[in-house]
Amino acid sequence: MANQESETAMSDTAHTPGDNATTVHRPAGWLDERVDTRALYRKYGRKVFPVHSTFFFGEMVLFTFVILVITGTYLAFMYVPSNVNVTVSGQTVPEAYASTRLIETTPIASLFRNVHHWAAHLMIASIILHMLRIFLSGTYRKPREINWIIGLLLLILTLGAAFYGYGLPYDAFAVTATGIGYGIARSIPWVGNIVSEIAFGGAFPTLGSLSRMFTLHVFVIPLAIMAVAGVHILIILKQKHSQPGYARRIAEPGRILGVPFWPYQVLMGVQLVLIIFGLLCLLGAFVPPHPLTAFGPPASETPEVKPDWYLIWIYGMLRILPSRVSFSLFGTTFAQTFFAGLVFPLIFFGLLLLVPFLDRSNRHVQGTYQYLEPFRQTTKRVAIAFAAIAFLLALCLAAYYDKFGLSIREMWGIVVVAPVGCGIVAYLISRRYEPDELLDTRSPDD
Amino acid sequence: MVEPPIEREAFVQFHMRRRRFLKWLIRAAFALFALALAIPALALKSLKIASSNVASGDQLVFATGNKVGDPILLADLPAGTAVHAFPKGKSNNPNALIELVHLPAKDHPSVVAYSAICTHLGCAVSDTLNAQGNIHCPCHGSIFNPADHAAIVRGPAVRSLPGLPVEVGSDGSITAAGAFDGPIGPQ
């Protein structure tokens, strides 16, 4: 795919006249006479995809999601969402635990379980990278504000699916982690009891818990992801891709520089799927997630559990937020758990949601932003991104603060100083390398 | 034929009223539909299982280890250590888990019991006391002082662990002398 020249299609679906002489000469085949696949090709096959390595993050999200659906479906054939005790080879354990043990000890199912586990990690990592690229290149601005918000919703849905996925194996680890989620949901003032009982099928852990969590993990959230991701992609089709800055110099105004969907983008997509699946199989085979027997079936003991990396920043806040933030008002309690476990992440996601509206360059815009802002000319965004990453990393450190011999006060010092320091340093460094002439990232024809 | 203007006016008025009425009707239909959806959503909430709580006279038995279900005797519990206990016959209720602590000799009373369910987020506190002889929770690091009514030494927990009055019998067995003096777990 190295030869850019021959594969650069200087056109876009919207600019291609219906039946252009240069497009298809293929005679109508058996299928065309019935469903006219050539019309499909004319409408979507010539959709142009800009070529840029960071443009693959979004596709990676889609592909890992497909892998999750396929491996998850296979696992659902064997998994039993029940916490009723059964006796299997002399040991009395919950049925979900027993069925997960069966998955774990069946070779291909065990590989699929491990691939499912790592695909979830990769999906969330890809969403974060995709978001970071959109943020740094400023392409959340007009006209793409709606898709930024939809993307954020997809991140939250995916985190929800991942959280429910934790609980299903029903070992001591899973029950403890889910119990903490239940406690956080219960801490919502006034409606906490109803919300937590709906989200966990009663007072967790109870008889209905696993069928509730299973249904949410397997049907409700994935269907919501499919629907919302569908809207996300439809909006991309309507708005067309943003483009790397060089396209502004090469392509005519209003045209997209890149490769057509069929066959080149499809070929690259297939390569990407194969690479991802291969990588996940290797990871699944050689770096399995913790075996069920590591924590054993649920017991009265609570193992020391920490959430995975993508939730550990909330866990860090749960540990270091002082208890004096809690207060009672109108007969309800605003607990520390409510502030650390729900209000804090909601504020963080709320700020992300407001990014397109807080960005001053996105107010009263003449025309639309259609080109990626080059990394070197966006000093403020680089500074903000580094500050945000430092903040999240500091909170990850807070999850382990006593292991490092730090006091809560010192930990708070790091949580406050690290983002500010990193932001300032990143700003000063990127200012040094700022080019003299800035690229106008708006579309030249409006 | 030209219509009389007054009738035309009435005709328009009628249409405007009809349009307003239909708009309200659509809104009301949406509201009713949302309400109708809320009812099955609320019905999803609960499946309650009856479970028995600790009561006066319940003998405390081991909750873990190779003596699960056996009565705990004072001799099993050296001073300065703790153990997880259940009221006998009530181990199916995870919220009845008890942290039984034998305080170091200088303290009085020497055996105290608390709910083992952390008031922060409902984890079971560790049955191993920390280096200072305090109860600690493995989940988010809360620390409680067993010699002082499980008072909070370090957050994030807001409430101390509910206490359970216990009596040591002449044979060394330990029984509950009442119920927990507060609600169990996070509230």
Side-chain angles (χ1 to χ4, degrees), chain A residues 27-60:
Chain A
W30 187 90
L31 205 58
D32 293 318
E33 284 170 0
R34 282 152 186 86
V35 289
D36 196 8
T37 54
R38 290 174 308 168
L40 201 68
Y41 169 76
R42 280 197 299 273
K43 205 160 166 53
Y44 299 109
R46 295 180 51 73
K47 156 89 188 147
V48 171
F49 287 74
V51 180
H52 193 273
S53 48
T54 63
F55 275 55
F56 287 108
F57 292 140
E59 290 185 8
M60 275 168 65

mmCIF file of all heavy atoms in Angstrom, chain A residues 27-60:
data_model
loop_
_atom_site.group_PDB
_atom_site.id
_atom_site.type_symbol
_atom_site.label_atom_id
_atom_site.label_comp_id
_atom_site.label_asym_id
_atom_site.label_seq_id
_atom_site.Cartn_x
_atom_site.Cartn_y
_atom_site.Cartn_z
ATOM 1 N N PRO A 27 -19.923 -5.505 -16.587
ATOM 2 C CA PRO A 27 -21.287 -5.833 -17.016
ATOM 3 C C PRO A 27 -22.092 -6.373 -15.847
ATOM 4 O O PRO A 27 -21.532 -6.887 -14.892
ATOM 5 C CB PRO A 27 -21.069 -6.921 -18.078
ATOM 6 C CG PRO A 27 -19.753 -7.530 -17.742
ATOM 7 C CD PRO A 27 -18.912 -6.460 -17.109
ATOM 8 N N ALA A 28 -23.391 -6.218 -15.955
ATOM 9 C CA ALA A 28 -24.256 -6.663 -14.875
ATOM 10 C C ALA A 28 -24.214 -8.167 -14.744
ATOM 11 O O ALA A 28 -24.369 -8.895 -15.722
ATOM 12 C CB ALA A 28 -25.691 -6.208 -15.125
ATOM 13 N N GLY A 29 -23.943 -8.655 -13.560
ATOM 14 C CA GLY A 29 -23.907 -10.092 -13.312
ATOM 15 C C GLY A 29 -25.230 -10.577 -12.738
ATOM 16 O O GLY A 29 -26.211 -9.819 -12.682
ATOM 17 N N TRP A 30 -25.210 -11.830 -12.295
ATOM 18 C CA TRP A 30 -26.427 -12.440 -11.758
ATOM 19 C C TRP A 30 -26.967 -11.619 -10.573
ATOM 20 O O TRP A 30 -28.145 -11.303 -10.497
ATOM 21 C CB TRP A 30 -26.080 -13.861 -11.306
ATOM 22 C CG TRP A 30 -27.276 -14.671 -10.882
ATOM 23 C CD1 TRP A 30 -28.052 -15.464 -11.688
ATOM 24 C CD2 TRP A 30 -27.824 -14.775 -9.561
ATOM 25 N NE1 TRP A 30 -29.049 -16.036 -10.959
ATOM 26 C CE2 TRP A 30 -28.938 -15.639 -9.642
ATOM 27 C CE3 TRP A 30 -27.488 -14.219 -8.331
ATOM 28 C CZ2 TRP A 30 -29.715 -15.967 -8.535
ATOM 29 C CZ3 TRP A 30 -28.268 -14.550 -7.231
ATOM 30 C CH2 TRP A 30 -29.371 -15.419 -7.332
ATOM 31 N N LEU A 31 -26.044 -11.250 -9.666
ATOM 32 C CA LEU A 31 -26.463 -10.518 -8.469
ATOM 33 C C LEU A 31 -26.933 -9.108 -8.820
ATOM 34 O O LEU A 31 -27.913 -8.608 -8.269
ATOM 35 C CB LEU A 31 -25.286 -10.468 -7.489
ATOM 36 C CG LEU A 31 -25.631 -10.309 -6.013
ATOM 37 C CD1 LEU A 31 -26.534 -11.436 -5.546
ATOM 38 C CD2 LEU A 31 -24.366 -10.258 -5.187
ATOM 39 N N ASP A 32 -26.202 -8.469 -9.796
ATOM 40 C CA ASP A 32 -26.561 -7.095 -10.168
ATOM 41 C C ASP A 32 -27.965 -7.019 -10.732
ATOM 42 O O ASP A 32 -28.679 -6.049 -10.506
ATOM 43 C CB ASP A 32 -25.562 -6.560 -11.201
ATOM 44 C CG ASP A 32 -24.197 -6.403 -10.593
ATOM 45 O OD1 ASP A 32 -24.132 -5.931 -9.450
ATOM 46 O OD2 ASP A 32 -23.214 -6.779 -11.255
ATOM 47 N N GLU A 33 -28.333 -8.055 -11.519
ATOM 48 C CA GLU A 33 -29.667 -8.031 -12.102
ATOM 49 C C GLU A 33 -30.742 -8.091 -11.029
ATOM 50 O O GLU A 33 -31.888 -7.714 -11.247
ATOM 51 C CB GLU A 33 -29.834 -9.209 -13.077
ATOM 52 C CG GLU A 33 -29.123 -8.962 -14.405
ATOM 53 C CD GLU A 33 -29.069 -10.199 -15.258
ATOM 54 O OE1 GLU A 33 -29.585 -11.251 -14.821
ATOM 55 O OE2 GLU A 33 -28.502 -10.117 -16.346
ATOM 56 N N ARG A 34 -30.377 -8.587 -9.870
ATOM 57 C CA ARG A 34 -31.365 -8.711 -8.807
ATOM 58 C C ARG A 34 -31.289 -7.592 -7.771
ATOM 59 O O ARG A 34 -32.294 -7.015 -7.400
ATOM 60 C CB ARG A 34 -31.214 -10.088 -8.142
ATOM 61 C CG ARG A 34 -31.845 -11.170 -9.009
ATOM 62 C CD ARG A 34 -31.224 -12.533 -8.839
ATOM 63 N NE ARG A 34 -31.801 -13.461 -9.809
ATOM 64 C CZ ARG A 34 -31.358 -13.607 -11.060
ATOM 65 N NH1 ARG A 34 -30.314 -12.893 -11.490
ATOM 66 N NH2 ARG A 34 -31.951 -14.435 -11.896
ATOM 67 N N VAL A 35 -30.081 -7.308 -7.260
ATOM 68 C CA VAL A 35 -29.989 -6.261 -6.230
ATOM 69 C C VAL A 35 -29.084 -5.094 -6.630
ATOM 70 O O VAL A 35 -28.898 -4.172 -5.834
ATOM 71 C CB VAL A 35 -29.504 -6.841 -4.875
ATOM 72 C CG1 VAL A 35 -30.577 -7.699 -4.250
ATOM 73 C CG2 VAL A 35 -28.229 -7.618 -5.040
ATOM 74 N N ASP A 36 -28.548 -5.097 -7.848
ATOM 75 C CA ASP A 36 -27.738 -3.993 -8.367
ATOM 76 C C ASP A 36 -26.624 -3.577 -7.411
ATOM 77 O O ASP A 36 -26.640 -2.497 -6.833
ATOM 78 C CB ASP A 36 -28.636 -2.784 -8.697
ATOM 79 C CG ASP A 36 -27.884 -1.805 -9.594
ATOM 80 O OD1 ASP A 36 -26.774 -2.159 -10.040
ATOM 81 O OD2 ASP A 36 -28.399 -0.701 -9.838
ATOM 82 N N THR A 37 -25.633 -4.464 -7.237
ATOM 83 C CA THR A 37 -24.514 -4.149 -6.349
ATOM 84 C C THR A 37 -23.692 -2.987 -6.884
ATOM 85 O O THR A 37 -22.990 -2.327 -6.128
ATOM 86 C CB THR A 37 -23.589 -5.359 -6.174
ATOM 87 O OG1 THR A 37 -23.201 -5.817 -7.468
ATOM 88 C CG2 THR A 37 -24.274 -6.479 -5.414
ATOM 89 N N ARG A 38 -23.802 -2.719 -8.209
ATOM 90 C CA ARG A 38 -23.018 -1.610 -8.755
ATOM 91 C C ARG A 38 -23.494 -0.278 -8.191
ATOM 92 O O ARG A 38 -22.711 0.638 -7.976
ATOM 93 C CB ARG A 38 -23.098 -1.609 -10.286
ATOM 94 C CG ARG A 38 -22.338 -2.779 -10.911
ATOM 95 C CD ARG A 38 -22.567 -2.822 -12.387
ATOM 96 N NE ARG A 38 -24.002 -2.804 -12.683
ATOM 97 C CZ ARG A 38 -24.488 -2.606 -13.901
ATOM 98 N NH1 ARG A 38 -23.687 -2.412 -14.919
ATOM 99 N NH2 ARG A 38 -25.786 -2.609 -14.102
ATOM 100 N N ALA A 39 -24.801 -0.181 -7.933
ATOM 101 C CA ALA A 39 -25.330 1.047 -7.333
ATOM 102 C C ALA A 39 -24.769 1.218 -5.927
ATOM 103 O O ALA A 39 -24.418 2.315 -5.509
ATOM 104 C CB ALA A 39 -26.856 0.994 -7.299
ATOM 105 N N LEU A 40 -24.667 0.094 -5.230
ATOM 106 C CA LEU A 40 -24.112 0.111 -3.875
ATOM 107 C C LEU A 40 -22.658 0.602 -3.928
ATOM 108 O O LEU A 40 -22.224 1.431 -3.129
ATOM 109 C CB LEU A 40 -24.175 -1.311 -3.310
ATOM 110 C CG LEU A 40 -24.123 -1.446 -1.812
ATOM 111 C CD1 LEU A 40 -25.393 -0.881 -1.190
ATOM 112 C CD2 LEU A 40 -23.940 -2.896 -1.413
ATOM 113 N N TYR A 41 -21.921 0.072 -4.918
ATOM 114 C CA TYR A 41 -20.530 0.475 -5.070
ATOM 115 C C TYR A 41 -20.432 1.967 -5.381
ATOM 116 O O TYR A 41 -19.621 2.689 -4.801
ATOM 117 C CB TYR A 41 -19.869 -0.350 -6.185
ATOM 118 C CG TYR A 41 -18.520 0.182 -6.577
ATOM 119 C CD1 TYR A 41 -17.413 -0.032 -5.762
ATOM 120 C CD2 TYR A 41 -18.353 0.934 -7.739
ATOM 121 C CE1 TYR A 41 -16.183 0.472 -6.099
ATOM 122 C CE2 TYR A 41 -17.128 1.447 -8.087
ATOM 123 C CZ TYR A 41 -16.041 1.222 -7.252
ATOM 124 O OH TYR A 41 -14.832 1.739 -7.584
ATOM 125 N N ARG A 42 -21.297 2.417 -6.305
ATOM 126 C CA ARG A 42 -21.255 3.835 -6.673
ATOM 127 C C ARG A 42 -21.559 4.714 -5.476
ATOM 128 O O ARG A 42 -20.997 5.784 -5.327
ATOM 129 C CB ARG A 42 -22.271 4.105 -7.788
ATOM 130 C CG ARG A 42 -21.785 3.699 -9.166
ATOM 131 C CD ARG A 42 -22.625 4.345 -10.227
ATOM 132 N NE ARG A 42 -24.028 3.950 -10.153
ATOM 133 C CZ ARG A 42 -24.519 2.873 -10.752
ATOM 134 N NH1 ARG A 42 -23.735 2.084 -11.464
ATOM 135 N NH2 ARG A 42 -25.807 2.590 -10.653
ATOM 136 N N LYS A 43 -22.449 4.258 -4.601
ATOM 137 C CA LYS A 43 -22.880 5.098 -3.488
ATOM 138 C C LYS A 43 -21.878 5.057 -2.326
ATOM 139 O O LYS A 43 -21.550 6.085 -1.754
ATOM 140 C CB LYS A 43 -24.255 4.636 -3.004
ATOM 141 C CG LYS A 43 -25.045 5.730 -2.303
ATOM 142 C CD LYS A 43 -26.517 5.404 -2.289
ATOM 143 C CE LYS A 43 -27.293 6.289 -1.325
ATOM 144 N NZ LYS A 43 -27.100 7.723 -1.498
ATOM 145 N N TYR A 44 -21.403 3.856 -1.989
ATOM 146 C CA TYR A 44 -20.544 3.740 -0.800
ATOM 147 C C TYR A 44 -19.135 3.247 -1.101
ATOM 148 O O TYR A 44 -18.211 3.537 -0.372
ATOM 149 C CB TYR A 44 -21.198 2.812 0.232
ATOM 150 C CG TYR A 44 -22.523 3.317 0.702
ATOM 151 C CD1 TYR A 44 -23.702 2.691 0.325
ATOM 152 C CD2 TYR A 44 -22.595 4.448 1.503
ATOM 153 C CE1 TYR A 44 -24.927 3.172 0.750
ATOM 154 C CE2 TYR A 44 -23.814 4.945 1.924
ATOM 155 C CZ TYR A 44 -24.984 4.301 1.538
ATOM 156 O OH TYR A 44 -26.182 4.784 1.953
ATOM 157 N N GLY A 45 -18.970 2.469 -2.144
ATOM 158 C CA GLY A 45 -17.675 1.869 -2.433
ATOM 159 C C GLY A 45 -16.614 2.908 -2.749
ATOM 160 O O GLY A 45 -15.430 2.672 -2.556
ATOM 161 N N ARG A 46 -17.045 4.059 -3.212
ATOM 162 C CA ARG A 46 -16.073 5.084 -3.573
ATOM 163 C C ARG A 46 -15.894 6.126 -2.482
ATOM 164 O O ARG A 46 -15.274 7.165 -2.702
ATOM 165 C CB ARG A 46 -16.483 5.744 -4.897
ATOM 166 C CG ARG A 46 -16.436 4.759 -6.060
ATOM 167 C CD ARG A 46 -16.842 5.394 -7.354
ATOM 168 N NE ARG A 46 -16.117 6.633 -7.627
ATOM 169 C CZ ARG A 46 -14.845 6.684 -7.987
ATOM 170 N NH1 ARG A 46 -14.152 5.580 -8.121
ATOM 171 N NH2 ARG A 46 -14.280 7.843 -8.221
ATOM 172 N N LYS A 47 -16.445 5.840 -1.313
ATOM 173 C CA LYS A 47 -16.219 6.703 -0.149
ATOM 174 C C LYS A 47 -14.716 6.760 0.126
ATOM 175 O O LYS A 47 -14.024 5.730 0.145
ATOM 176 C CB LYS A 47 -16.972 6.107 1.046
ATOM 177 C CG LYS A 47 -16.445 6.484 2.402
ATOM 178 C CD LYS A 47 -17.089 7.739 2.908
ATOM 179 C CE LYS A 47 -16.408 8.204 4.187
ATOM 180 N NZ LYS A 47 -16.399 9.650 4.314
ATOM 181 N N VAL A 48 -14.199 7.967 0.290
ATOM 182 C CA VAL A 48 -12.750 8.138 0.380
ATOM 183 C C VAL A 48 -12.282 8.195 1.833
ATOM 184 O O VAL A 48 -12.882 8.874 2.659
ATOM 185 C CB VAL A 48 -12.331 9.417 -0.372
ATOM 186 C CG1 VAL A 48 -10.869 9.723 -0.114
ATOM 187 C CG2 VAL A 48 -12.575 9.235 -1.854
ATOM 188 N N PHE A 49 -11.233 7.440 2.143
ATOM 189 C CA PHE A 49 -10.649 7.435 3.484
ATOM 190 C C PHE A 49 -9.269 8.070 3.441
ATOM 191 O O PHE A 49 -8.385 7.579 2.741
ATOM 192 C CB PHE A 49 -10.523 5.997 4.002
ATOM 193 C CG PHE A 49 -11.839 5.394 4.392
ATOM 194 C CD1 PHE A 49 -12.750 4.998 3.423
ATOM 195 C CD2 PHE A 49 -12.163 5.222 5.726
ATOM 196 C CE1 PHE A 49 -13.965 4.443 3.782
ATOM 197 C CE2 PHE A 49 -13.373 4.664 6.091
ATOM 198 C CZ PHE A 49 -14.271 4.286 5.118
ATOM 199 N N PRO A 50 -9.048 9.145 4.197
ATOM 200 C CA PRO A 50 -7.701 9.721 4.258
ATOM 201 C C PRO A 50 -6.732 8.697 4.842
ATOM 202 O O PRO A 50 -7.123 7.876 5.680
ATOM 203 C CB PRO A 50 -7.857 10.902 5.208
ATOM 204 C CG PRO A 50 -9.311 11.175 5.266
ATOM 205 C CD PRO A 50 -9.995 9.874 5.027
ATOM 206 N N VAL A 51 -5.478 8.738 4.374
ATOM 207 C CA VAL A 51 -4.488 7.783 4.865
ATOM 208 C C VAL A 51 -3.618 8.462 5.916
ATOM 209 O O VAL A 51 -2.906 9.415 5.617
ATOM 210 C CB VAL A 51 -3.607 7.247 3.710
ATOM 211 C CG1 VAL A 51 -2.590 6.263 4.248
ATOM 212 C CG2 VAL A 51 -4.482 6.603 2.663
ATOM 213 N N HIS A 52 -3.736 8.006 7.157
ATOM 214 C CA HIS A 52 -2.954 8.570 8.251
ATOM 215 C C HIS A 52 -2.973 7.538 9.360
ATOM 216 O O HIS A 52 -4.027 6.957 9.645
ATOM 217 C CB HIS A 52 -3.604 9.878 8.732
ATOM 218 C CG HIS A 52 -2.717 10.687 9.636
ATOM 219 N ND1 HIS A 52 -2.676 10.478 10.982
ATOM 220 C CD2 HIS A 52 -1.865 11.693 9.376
ATOM 221 C CE1 HIS A 52 -1.812 11.329 11.521
ATOM 222 N NE2 HIS A 52 -1.309 12.077 10.556
ATOM 223 N N SER A 53 -1.804 7.293 9.980
ATOM 224 C CA SER A 53 -1.747 6.174 10.916
ATOM 225 C C SER A 53 -2.729 6.344 12.080
ATOM 226 O O SER A 53 -3.298 5.375 12.568
ATOM 227 C CB SER A 53 -0.323 6.000 11.433
ATOM 228 O OG SER A 53 0.177 7.244 11.845
ATOM 229 N N THR A 54 -2.962 7.587 12.518
ATOM 230 C CA THR A 54 -3.841 7.756 13.679
ATOM 231 C C THR A 54 -5.311 7.589 13.317
ATOM 232 O O THR A 54 -6.163 7.565 14.198
ATOM 233 C CB THR A 54 -3.660 9.143 14.325
ATOM 234 O OG1 THR A 54 -4.050 10.135 13.388
ATOM 235 C CG2 THR A 54 -2.248 9.361 14.758
ATOM 236 N N PHE A 55 -5.601 7.487 12.017
ATOM 237 C CA PHE A 55 -6.996 7.306 11.620
ATOM 238 C C PHE A 55 -7.454 5.874 11.849
ATOM 239 O O PHE A 55 -8.611 5.567 11.642
ATOM 240 C CB PHE A 55 -7.196 7.692 10.145
ATOM 241 C CG PHE A 55 -7.433 9.159 9.960
ATOM 242 C CD1 PHE A 55 -6.537 10.081 10.450
ATOM 243 C CD2 PHE A 55 -8.566 9.617 9.312
ATOM 244 C CE1 PHE A 55 -6.748 11.445 10.295
ATOM 245 C CE2 PHE A 55 -8.786 10.981 9.151
ATOM 246 C CZ PHE A 55 -7.880 11.890 9.634
ATOM 247 N N PHE A 56 -6.523 4.993 12.249
ATOM 248 C CA PHE A 56 -6.898 3.601 12.446
ATOM 249 C C PHE A 56 -7.426 3.314 13.850
ATOM 250 O O PHE A 56 -7.962 2.255 14.097
ATOM 251 C CB PHE A 56 -5.721 2.677 12.138
ATOM 252 C CG PHE A 56 -5.444 2.570 10.671
ATOM 253 C CD1 PHE A 56 -4.340 3.173 10.116
ATOM 254 C CD2 PHE A 56 -6.317 1.888 9.845
ATOM 255 C CE1 PHE A 56 -4.108 3.096 8.757
ATOM 256 C CE2 PHE A 56 -6.097 1.815 8.488
ATOM 257 C CZ PHE A 56 -4.985 2.416 7.939
ATOM 258 N N PHE A 57 -7.259 4.282 14.772
ATOM 259 C CA PHE A 57 -7.708 4.019 16.145
ATOM 260 C C PHE A 57 -9.206 3.741 16.188
ATOM 261 O O PHE A 57 -9.664 2.837 16.875
ATOM 262 C CB PHE A 57 -7.365 5.190 17.067
ATOM 263 C CG PHE A 57 -5.888 5.354 17.294
ATOM 264 C CD1 PHE A 57 -5.306 6.610 17.345
ATOM 265 C CD2 PHE A 57 -5.073 4.247 17.468
ATOM 266 C CE1 PHE A 57 -3.950 6.768 17.556
ATOM 267 C CE2 PHE A 57 -3.711 4.397 17.682
ATOM 268 C CZ PHE A 57 -3.155 5.665 17.719
ATOM 269 N N GLY A 58 -9.977 4.562 15.450
ATOM 270 C CA GLY A 58 -11.423 4.365 15.436
ATOM 271 C C GLY A 58 -11.797 3.014 14.875
ATOM 272 O O GLY A 58 -12.680 2.327 15.394
ATOM 273 N N GLU A 59 -11.103 2.616 13.787
ATOM 274 C CA GLU A 59 -11.384 1.297 13.214
ATOM 275 C C GLU A 59 -11.011 0.196 14.187
ATOM 276 O O GLU A 59 -11.686 -0.833 14.260
ATOM 277 C CB GLU A 59 -10.604 1.132 11.903
ATOM 278 C CG GLU A 59 -11.164 2.019 10.816
ATOM 279 C CD GLU A 59 -10.503 1.800 9.477
ATOM 280 O OE1 GLU A 59 -9.710 0.842 9.355
ATOM 281 O OE2 GLU A 59 -10.774 2.583 8.572
ATOM 282 N N MET A 60 -9.919 0.416 14.937
ATOM 283 C CA MET A 60 -9.533 -0.592 15.927
ATOM 284 C C MET A 60 -10.635 -0.792 16.955
ATOM 285 O O MET A 60 -10.901 -1.915 17.388
ATOM 286 C CB MET A 60 -8.233 -0.180 16.626
ATOM 287 C CG MET A 60 -6.996 -0.599 15.858
ATOM 288 S SD MET A 60 -5.505 0.166 16.491
ATOM 289 C CE MET A 60 -5.390 -0.532 18.119
#
